[in-house]
Amino acid sequence: MGVSSSSSITSMEAETLLKWKASLHNTTQTLLSSLWVGSNHCNWVGITCDSTRSVTSITLRGTLDNLSFFYFPNLIWLQLRNNTLYGHIPWHIGNLSKLIFLDLSFNNFSGSIPSEICLLKSLQLISLESNEISGPIPRDIGSLSSVSNIGFHGNNLSGTIPSSIGRLHNLSYLDLGWNRLNGSIPKQVGMLRSLCLLDFSGNSLTGSVPPSIGNLSNLQFLYFYGNHLSGSLPSEIGLLKSLSALQLLGNNLSGVIPSSIANLTNLFSLMLDENAFSGPLPRDIGMLKSLNLLSLADNSNSGSIPASIGNLTILSGLFLGGNSLTGHIPQTYTCGDQQQFDGPIPSSLRDCKSLTRVRLEGNHFTGNISDAFGIYPNLVYIGLSHNNFFGELSPKLGQGPRLTSLRFSNNNISGKIPFELADATQLGELDLSSNHLIGEIPKELGTLKMMSRLFLSGNQLSGKNPSEIGLLSNLEQLNLASNNLSGPIPGNLGNCSKLFNLNFSKNDLGESIRSSISDIIAL
């Protein structure tokens, strides 16, 4: 390139930038005028040039409507992420033949992806994430032979995933999640052997998971959740030895969970819930010793619980509810979040200090809970409702400084409500309804300032209604029905401005409703 030619290009580039600035909103023009000072455009903020003073990188704010890409033949970097850009992506962006980095994410772009974008043969990264872009993915996207990163997450893209995508052999990151894509997953996806992340979640994809998925030996993250996928999960899924996260929840997948899934020994998160899987759980599922989260809830799985689950020693979340599983929690199992078992709670649970959530609702658990639980500094939620537990509530439950929800309804729990529950100062929900509790309601519960839902109905509680309940300023729902309570309804309940559901029915109150609460009570 001669001196005059180079000079001509730089002159056109500077002129183009100034014309574009003149087309922007006044506020943006004022900002750029303070940043673009002097006659040398290579010294302007957001502009980078090469040795010939030709623009190679633009990082700016504004809109692209009047920025002509015809005049930037040497541009390699276009970074306009997280601004207030809007309008269409210009079709002449296809003239940036040397561009390797294109990031227009987190803006307000609309319209479709111009097909000319497929002319950018040097492109290595294209991110259009979190815009309002609609229409199809360009059919010729497979011609971007150098691209390693495609991020179209969070737009309104529609139509099918082009099969030409299988030609992108350098692709390591493909995120098409949370759009409106339909049709099936093209089998050509299995040709993307360099993929580390594959995200098609939150679309309307149908059909089956292609067996060719097993070719992706480098894949670490696979997200197909929130679609309408059906059919069985291919056994080839067990070939993905590098996989850390497999999330297929919220589809219509059926058949048995393939036993080959036990080969995924690097798996950290396995979520297959809300599908139609049936049959037994894989016997060797306990081989997944890296597993931290196992969620198979709301399927049609049956049979006994594999004893090998007890080998999942670092598991912090286990969800198996909504199935037809039988058997006991293995006594070797120490930490986690369990559902849909029967038998007693393992004694080892008492020493599991790392518990954050315990969900055992709606099963056939039995046994004495008096000494089943210890002190849990990180416990946030514990739910034992709709089981067959008996025994008395432990005062230790009040020693959970982070506990927000305690649900023990519909069991055979007896004895008194321990006043020590008031020590759980973050408690916002206490449900002890439909048990065999006796004695008075502890007045200490009135100190639980975070309490919004208090359910004690269906017991044999007696004595007077404690006026301290009226101090629960965040109370929204209070149900003390079907007990043996006496005396007046506390008048200061009228101060609970958030209260919308109040039930004292089937007690021995013996007095009329006070005017201070007559407008919120519904007996």
Side-chain angles (χ1 to χ4, degrees):
M1 181 181 291
V3 174
S4 59
S5 176
S6 174
S7 175
S8 175
I9 288 176
T10 58
S11 176
M12 285 190 300
E13 289 177 342
E15 183 179 348
T16 300
L17 289 171
L18 290 174
K19 285 182 178 179
W20 176 60
K21 187 188 80 166
S23 73
L24 302 178
H25 188 274
N26 290 339
T27 303
T28 308
Q29 286 193 52
T30 302
L31 173 64
L32 287 181
S33 295
S34 65
L35 298 177
W36 289 3
V37 179
S39 58
N40 184 359
H41 64 283
C42 293
N43 294 329
W44 294 349
V45 173
I47 304 298
T48 303
C49 297
D50 60 16
S51 59
T52 67
R53 296 179 62 211
S54 179
V55 175
T56 59
S57 174
I58 299 178
T59 305
L60 298 172
R61 299 172 180 267
T63 78
L64 301 183
D65 288 351
N66 293 288
L67 177 60
S68 176
F69 290 115
F70 287 108
Y71 301 109
F72 299 98
N74 297 306
L75 193 67
I76 61 174
W77 190 280
L78 185 56
Q79 163 68 282
L80 299 174
R81 176 186 178 92
N82 196 23
N83 290 288
T84 54
L85 300 174
Y86 59 91
H88 292 195
I89 299 172
W91 63 268
H92 46 81
I93 199 170
N95 288 279
L96 302 176
S97 59
K98 296 183 180 180
L99 196 66
I100 64 173
F101 185 98
L102 174 61
D103 188 352
L104 305 180
S105 60
F106 295 94
N107 284 287
N108 298 308
F109 284 112
S110 57
S112 59
I113 301 173
S115 60
E116 289 80 3
I117 218 160
C118 299
L119 300 175
L120 305 178
K121 305 293 181 160
S122 299
L123 203 61
Q124 295 178 18
L125 180 146
I126 175 172
S127 180
L128 307 178
E129 181 179 353
S130 297
N131 280 282
E132 298 171 11
I133 300 169
S134 57
I137 297 173
R139 287 287 156 200
D140 292 333
I141 196 167
S143 62
L144 299 177
S145 56
S146 298
V147 74
S148 63
N149 189 312
I150 294 179
F152 292 167
H153 186 101
N155 281 283
N156 297 311
L157 296 173
S158 57
T160 60
I161 300 171
S163 60
S164 69
I165 212 162
R167 303 205 303 266
L168 303 177
H169 300 303
N170 293 312
L171 199 61
S172 63
Y173 181 100
L174 177 58
D175 187 352
L176 307 181
W178 296 98
N179 281 282
R180 299 178 181 178
L181 299 171
N182 54 42
S184 60
I185 298 172
K187 63 181 181 181
Q188 289 83 357
V189 165
M191 300 170 65
L192 305 176
R193 295 176 184 269
S194 297
L195 268 187
C196 292
L197 180 143
L198 178 58
D199 188 349
F200 291 165
S201 60
N203 282 285
S204 298
L205 299 174
T206 56
S208 59
V209 177
S212 62
I213 206 85
N215 297 330
L216 306 181
S217 57
N218 293 305
L219 196 63
Q220 297 178 29
F221 305 95
L222 177 57
Y223 303 125
F224 286 172
Y225 61 87
N227 281 284
H228 306 296
L229 299 174
S230 58
S232 59
L233 186 60
S235 61
E236 287 83 356
I237 202 79
L239 298 174
L240 304 179
K241 299 294 184 63
S242 299
L243 208 59
S244 294
L246 175 58
Q247 299 185 3
L248 307 179
L249 62 150
N251 281 285
N252 300 312
L253 297 170
S254 58
V256 297
I257 298 171
S259 59
S260 63
I261 212 164
N263 297 330
L264 307 180
T265 53
N266 289 310
L267 206 59
F268 180 84
S269 170
L270 175 59
M271 303 182 70
L272 304 180
D273 38 315
E274 298 179 26
N275 279 285
F277 288 113
S278 58
L281 300 182
R283 183 179 58 184
D284 295 329
I285 200 167
M287 294 176 63
L288 304 178
K289 293 187 177 181
S290 299
L291 210 56
N292 182 264
L293 173 62
L294 175 59
S295 187
L296 307 178
D298 297 316
N299 281 286
S300 299
N301 291 117
S302 58
S304 60
I305 300 146
S308 65
I309 279 185
N311 298 329
L312 304 179
T313 55
I314 68 170
L315 202 63
S316 66
L318 173 59
F319 299 87
L320 300 176
N323 286 287
S324 300
L325 299 170
T326 60
H328 298 352
I329 302 176
Q331 288 294 319
T332 54
Y333 183 69
T334 55
C335 297
D337 185 333
Q338 315 86 20
Q339 290 191 356
Q340 283 300 321
F341 298 106
D342 62 9
I345 298 175
S347 58
S348 55
L349 198 68
R350 201 166 38 240
D351 301 319
C352 189
K353 305 298 183 184
S354 63
L355 277 176
T356 58
R357 292 172 60 86
V358 178
R359 293 194 60 189
L360 308 176
E361 302 104 320
N363 291 282
H364 305 288
F365 274 117
T366 185
N368 192 328
I369 69 166
S370 299
D371 296 316
F373 296 98
I375 298 172
Y376 307 110
N378 300 306
L379 189 64
V380 174
Y381 178 104
I382 179 168
L384 306 183
S385 297
H386 296 277
N387 280 287
N388 299 311
F389 291 115
F390 59 88
E392 299 186 4
L393 297 174
S394 170
K396 291 181 180 180
L397 290 169
Q399 298 182 43
R402 299 180 60 192
L403 188 63
T404 61
S405 293
L406 193 157
R407 298 181 177 182
F408 284 7
S409 68
N410 294 89
N411 280 285
N412 297 310
I413 301 171
S414 57
K416 296 182 178 181
I417 300 174
F419 68 87
E420 290 88 350
L421 286 179
D423 294 332
T425 56
Q426 299 301 306
L427 198 59
E429 179 181 30
L430 177 59
D431 188 356
L432 304 177
S433 56
S434 299
N435 279 287
H436 306 294
L437 298 170
I438 61 172
E440 297 183 350
I441 300 173
K443 63 181 180 180
E444 289 82 1
L445 297 184
T447 64
L448 295 172
K449 302 301 182 184
M450 305 299 292
M451 184 68 70
S452 61
R453 295 179 294 278
L454 179 57
F455 305 122
L456 304 178
S457 62
N459 284 285
Q460 287 92 50
L461 299 172
S462 58
K464 293 185 178 181
N465 296 297
S467 60
E468 287 80 5
I469 290 180
L471 301 176
L472 302 176
S473 57
N474 286 304
L475 199 61
E476 298 175 356
Q477 300 181 62
L478 174 61
N479 192 340
L480 305 182
S482 301
N483 280 288
N484 299 315
L485 299 171
S486 61
I489 297 173
N492 58 357
L493 276 174
N495 298 326
C496 299
S497 59
K498 298 180 181 180
L499 193 61
F500 67 86
N501 190 321
L502 177 60
N503 194 342
F504 279 88
S505 63
K506 297 183 180 179
N507 278 287
D508 189 21
L509 304 182
E511 292 195 16
S512 59
I513 300 171
R514 299 190 180 193
S515 59
S516 60
I517 58 173
S518 60
D519 56 339
I520 63 171
I521 192 167
L523 297 181

